[in-house]
Amino acid sequence: MKRNILITGGAGFIGSHVVRLFVNKYPDYRIVNLDKLTYAGNLANLKDIEDRPNYLFERADICDFDRVREIMRKYEIDGVIHLAAESHVDRSIKDPFTFARTNVLGTLSLLQAAREYWNGDWEGKLFYHISTDEVYGALELTNPEGVEPPFTTTASSSEHHLAYGRDFFYEDTKYNPHSPYSASKASSDHFVRAFHDTYGMPTIVTNCSNNYGPYQFPEKLIPLFINNIRHGRPLPVYGKGENVRDWLYVEDHARAIDLIFHKGRVADTYNIGGFNEWKNIDLIKVIIRTVDRLLGNAEGTSEHLITYVTDRAGHDLRYAIDSSKLQRELGWEPSLQFEEGIEKTVRWYLDNQAWMDNITSGDYERYYDEMYRNR
Ligand code: NAD
Ligand code: DAU
């Protein structure tokens, strides 16, 4: 079947993996990547597929309603996968307005453009919104009687996994965002659901845990620390390093998005996560060990780079997603063990130092001019 799919934020970290998967897997689909190319958008993330006949790029701001409307019409879009967003919590603490503008008003602009273009004919249409587990707030670190975390649990999955608390985020967990970033994402989720309930637009929302893997902007923990270790720079650990995150390899998220886009139930919500909780400081030690080993350094060489710094304001203690609904209903599961995923990830950043150097020097911003401006 032929489809015309608009993927927003396709030049970012997760978006580039989703675009690559769709372009490679569905030669009959026309994939339109709409991205503003903010500091976080990098067309070099898509170098391997940029010449494919089923791939198109449009540089546009999702807040520019007229442009979005024109793009919907021009490409006869029947499916939207919406990833474009401001995504870094620390930036949202410094500049909340930008987050409200892009994440809330930008999402509304896309919804309204889709509603106008589809004009009540919902057959074969879908607006799929990519959200985060951060909208649910933060979980406690709690021990079952006498057991020090992490402990093994079967509470929320068919598999045993390590957990730092009794509770998990479920699809019906009450929203309770704490940062300007998560507040803006929560607001956008509400708008998406409101467009279903008010106008009947077919929508799906998914809430995913922390992603890791190639092409992540080096302001986020894992690529930042890999790059700093390589250059012998300090590793700024917020607070005591005791916060817990649930990590998922980015290609597993992209596979989940593909599955849910094609088989998910309209108006429903799915949580996506790795059942893979790590305390920051333990994760950081794994990264240090892996980078040192791959660089041929003796074990422990870079441990002295760990530097405890002032905690992030409002720092959520623990995130832990229960993704058993997605596993049960659509048969998805993470494909990689964490040790395997981290090894792949560290290798990728070490092997792609030019990509990292381009970003950290700002050179990647020139790539758009060279590749696209005069086409
Ligand atoms: P990212 O910051 O790497 O990429 C965001 C992309 O959106 C960039 O290419 C940027 O240029 C583009 N963009 C930003 N503002 C725009 C605008 N106004 N108009 C058009 N394009 C714009 O983000 P990411 O980490 O890949 O996250 C993608 C989505 O997934 C976001 O919606 C985020 O909230 C969500 N999410 C991320 C994670 C994670 O761990 N990274 C986890 C769960 C959900
Ligand atoms: O949970 C999903 C979310 O994961 C996404 O919605 C966000 O877009 C994404 O950025 C990510 O948010 P986090 O705040 O969890 O990711 P970050 O990589 O910024 O931080 C991970 C943990 O590491 C967090 O507890 C803060 C800590 N940290 C982070 C940085 C950048 C440090 O200790 N030092 C650092 O320098």
Side-chain angles (χ1 to χ4, degrees), residues 20-255:
R20 177 175 298 101
L21 176 65
F22 274 68
V23 165
N24 284 331
K25 188 168 171 186
Y26 302 108
D28 287 346
Y29 289 8
R30 178 160 63 174
I31 305 301
V32 182
N33 173 13
L34 184 166
D35 198 299
K36 181 182 176 182
L37 300 182
T38 66
Y39 79 94
N42 184 359
L43 287 174
N45 296 357
L46 292 165
K47 230 174 178 338
D48 54 324
I49 56 104
E50 68 189 4
D51 291 326
R52 293 295 175 77
N54 62 338
Y55 170 72
L56 292 133
F57 175 68
E58 288 278 354
R59 188 175 194 176
D61 185 338
I62 52 169
C63 300
D64 183 345
F65 179 60
D66 291 338
R67 259 318 284 296
V68 175
R69 217 166 29 172
E70 178 197 312
I71 289 167
M72 293 283 307
R73 246 186 271 118
K74 179 172 165 193
Y75 297 109
E76 301 174 348
I77 296 299
D78 52 55
V80 176
I81 305 179
H82 174 35
L83 296 108
E86 290 292 337
S87 68
H88 192 43
V89 174
D90 294 328
R91 286 180 190 256
S92 82
I93 295 167
K94 290 210 173 80
D95 176 19
F97 274 114
T98 303
F99 282 70
R101 179 183 178 274
T102 294
N103 298 357
V104 185
L105 296 179
T107 300
L108 180 56
S109 152
L110 273 174
L111 283 164
Q112 184 69 3
R115 181 166 85 92
E116 274 194 29
Y117 177 60
W118 293 339
N119 194 24
D121 174 10
W122 305 126
E123 189 60 36
K125 312 295 194 307
L126 181 65
F127 190 104
Y128 177 2
H129 177 61
I130 308 301
S131 191
T132 171
D133 58 359
E134 301 200 11
V135 297
Y136 297 125
L139 297 165
E140 296 294 327
L141 305 184
T142 50
N143 304 0
E145 209 58 43
V147 182
E148 280 303 307
F151 52 85
T152 304
T153 177
T154 50
S156 45
S157 159
S158 53
E159 298 292 323
H160 284 76
H161 66 281
L162 297 180
Y164 280 87
R166 286 177 192 285
D167 299 332
F168 296 87
F169 294 139
Y170 301 97
E171 281 80 1
D172 59 0
T173 299
K174 196 164 152 270
Y175 273 31
N176 186 20
H178 298 301
S179 73
Y181 163 68
S182 52
S184 68
K185 290 296 291 188
S187 171
S188 64
D189 296 7
H190 291 319
F191 268 107
V192 173
R193 295 189 177 110
F195 266 61
H196 171 268
D197 296 349
T198 306
Y199 306 112
M201 180 183 283
T203 59
I204 292 181
V205 177
T206 55
N207 299 80
C208 189
S209 64
N210 285 60
N211 285 214
Y212 72 98
Y215 301 113
Q216 187 167 29
F217 195 85
E219 62 187 349
K220 308 280 166 59
L221 181 77
I222 292 182
L224 175 73
F225 277 36
I226 294 171
N227 198 39
N228 282 10
I229 296 167
R230 191 170 177 279
H231 291 286
R233 295 189 197 121
L235 306 174
V237 180
Y238 297 164
K240 294 185 182 148
E242 296 205 319
N243 303 66
V244 172
R245 296 290 182 269
D246 171 5
W247 294 92
L248 179 69
Y249 192 67
V250 62
E251 288 179 4
D252 282 334
H253 188 189
R255 277 194 308 107

Side-chain angles (χ1 to χ4, degrees), residues 322-363:
D322 183 301
S323 58
S324 50
K325 171 176 168 181
L326 178 59
Q327 303 198 357
R328 201 176 49 247
E329 292 188 7
L330 297 184
W332 173 88
E333 57 180 34
S335 69
L336 280 186
Q337 291 296 315
F338 189 58
E339 291 68 18
E340 217 183 322
I342 274 290
E343 173 97 13
K344 255 177 106 156
T345 302
V346 171
R347 268 186 203 284
W348 188 87
Y349 285 100
L350 297 180
D351 290 349
N352 288 274
Q353 195 56 41
W355 178 90
M356 182 66 86
D357 291 345
N358 261 346
I359 288 193
T360 45
S361 68
D363 273 359

